[in-house]
Amino acid sequence: MRKADTVVDEEDVRRVVTLAIDALRRADPQAWEAKAGTLDWTCWETLEHLADDLFTYAARFGLTKPPMSTVLPFRTSSERSGGPANVIFVERDSGPEALMTILEACGGLLTSVLRAAPSTTVAYHVFGPSDPEGFAAMAVVETLVHTHDIAQGLDLEWSPPRELCERVMKRLFPHVTVDGDAWEVLLWATGRIALPDRPRLTEWRWYGTHGA
């Protein structure tokens, strides 16, 4: 049964994380210190950041009443100046396969928590408080675009399902007209590329607010 055009759910999170892992497992194990696309982070750091996003999203919905005005008070740190400030880090000596394991674990945790959370639950996000569906869409976008960043650094192909791109665009980027390839429009909307009729964005955001 086809999902409604704007519905994004926990199974989409599981699906996109699985697709990302399948794509990234093809990388040269020695290449993970390459810069991730246009980011200032390495491919290794970017995947840690993605796992961290999924974990901290899940943690919000582990509470009966998630906070509405701030993130949870985890102690974050960075392994180097300019690197991402995370809760989650992966043991370097374990190699890239450990990165995949942690990403899968964090994606599975978020999938399970979103499935269990009442649809009326709302939690804080810097771009506006949102419900489980909104956080599922945010997790999908984070996975799509950061896998793109990493794939660029690792010289891999990454071409996600267009229908999924269309649904997250409608859920989180209602201000953006999708008048071409939905994946290319999502990359434009998140500041990754320019399009022939749209200069590359230097600032961008999504709109995840519940009921938006």
Side-chain angles (χ1 to χ4, degrees):
M1 181 174 170
R2 190 176 186 276
K3 293 180 182 178
D5 287 345
T6 58
V7 172
V8 186
D9 62 22
E10 69 278 355
E11 290 307 319
D12 292 310
V13 176
R14 184 180 295 279
R15 175 188 179 198
V16 75
V17 168
T18 298
L19 291 173
I21 290 170
D22 288 346
L24 297 177
R25 275 196 169 122
R26 300 196 299 268
D28 178 352
Q30 306 304 314
W32 281 86
E33 291 306 311
K35 185 179 175 183
T38 58
L39 304 182
D40 292 328
W41 302 335
T42 68
C43 293
W44 182 286
E45 290 172 335
T46 304
L47 199 63
E48 285 181 327
H49 165 78
L50 174 56
D52 194 81
D53 281 340
L54 303 183
F55 172 79
T56 56
Y57 285 2
R60 289 166 169 82
F61 287 93
L63 297 170
T64 303
K65 294 183 178 180
M68 292 293 292
S69 61
T70 185
V71 295
L72 297 181
F74 289 114
R75 182 171 63 86
T76 59
S77 60
S78 177
E79 288 192 328
R80 68 172 181 87
S81 177
N86 294 342
V87 177
I88 298 290
F89 292 95
V90 180
E91 178 56 57
R92 295 266 175 170
D93 291 344
S94 298
E97 190 59 32
L99 276 172
M100 306 304 158
T101 298
I102 296 302
L103 179 61
E104 183 179 4
C106 292
L109 179 63
L110 179 57
T111 296
S112 298
V113 171
L114 292 178
R115 182 182 296 121
S119 61
T120 54
T121 308
V122 177
Y124 173 82
H125 189 277
V126 66
F127 286 162
S130 195
D131 57 9
E133 182 188 335
F135 272 89
M138 292 182 231
V140 169
V141 169
E142 293 281 7
T143 305
L144 290 171
V145 300
H146 283 314
T147 302
H148 165 78
D149 299 330
I150 296 165
Q152 282 192 310
L154 299 177
D155 196 25
L156 296 173
E157 291 293 326
W158 170 238
S159 183
R162 278 13 182 209
E163 56 83 18
L164 181 55
C165 297
E166 289 176 7
R167 282 190 281 121
V168 295
M169 285 296 303
K170 289 177 180 178
R171 178 59 179 82
L172 296 180
F173 298 89
H175 57 296
V176 175
T177 300
V178 180
D179 55 2
D181 185 303
W183 173 225
E184 291 186 349
V185 176
L186 177 58
L187 290 175
W188 173 81
T190 54
R192 264 71 182 177
I193 64 172
L195 292 175
D197 57 342
R198 303 183 190 186
R200 183 175 170 184
L201 298 175
T202 56
E203 295 183 1
W204 62 271
R205 60 161 294 172
W206 61 57
Y207 293 86
T209 302
H210 177 62

